[in-house]
Amino acid sequence: MAPNAPIKSLVRWRPSTMPEYRRLRRPDLYSYSICIDAWAKSRDGCAGERAENIFERMQSEPACLRPNLVVYNALINAWGASRDVRAGDKAMAVLAEMEEKSNVRPDRFSFSSVIDALAKSGTKNAAEKAE
């Protein structure tokens, strides 16, 4: 038997296709925040993009969950941890969405994470944007 045979058999078995399992095992806000935070801590160059994909999926069907302060901060942190040149602008966009579209009030961690993302992005005018 090949060393990966047990893993391949688990991959083929998909309990999420069973309606009862899917109904009982829907990810909640906490689950999504853990995934987004994991990408922030991964030091992967695509961390911001991957975290944003999870963030968008969280808000769409069938989950339709509204992000809270922890989720927004994890997403901002993920952009700051990524090596993407757009990281600073993306982090600022998340902060703007947080302030304008949701009723979640940013905290000091939100602002300091945006400043960190701007500093790491290496773009011109990063210091001016941080002000």
Side-chain angles (χ1 to χ4, degrees), residues 22-92:
R22 210 175 330 158
R23 185 172 32 96
L24 295 173
R25 301 291 180 173
R26 284 199 179 131
D28 58 2
L29 198 59
Y30 183 72
S31 304
Y32 281 106
S33 69
I34 288 172
C35 291
I36 293 169
D37 190 53
W39 276 112
K41 293 176 180 169
S42 72
R43 298 183 182 183
D44 189 290
C46 301
E49 246 177 85
R50 299 270 180 122
E52 191 161 312
N53 289 339
I54 294 169
F55 180 79
E56 289 170 2
R57 188 171 45 212
M58 176 191 79
Q59 296 177 81
S60 64
E61 295 288 335
C64 291
L65 297 171
R66 291 182 145 189
N68 62 10
L69 180 64
V70 174
V71 174
Y72 274 116
N73 283 345
L75 181 58
I76 292 170
N77 198 26
W79 276 113
S82 74
R83 294 182 293 269
D84 195 316
V85 294
R86 304 168 298 155
D89 292 332
K90 289 288 198 169
M92 286 182 59

Side-chain angles (χ1 to χ4, degrees), residues 97-112:
E97 177 184 327
M98 188 177 184
E99 292 176 319
E100 296 166 8
K101 294 183 182 175
S102 72
N103 55 355
V104 178
R105 180 176 285 172
D107 63 358
R108 61 184 175 186
F109 183 77
S110 310
F111 292 109
S112 63

Side-chain angles (χ1 to χ4, degrees), residues 104-129:
V104 178
R105 180 176 285 172
D107 63 358
R108 61 184 175 186
F109 183 77
S110 310
F111 292 109
S112 63
S113 295
V114 169
I115 292 169
D116 184 55
L118 285 165
K120 289 179 181 175
S121 70
T123 59
K124 292 182 182 180
N125 307 346
E128 288 84 19
K129 289 180 182 179

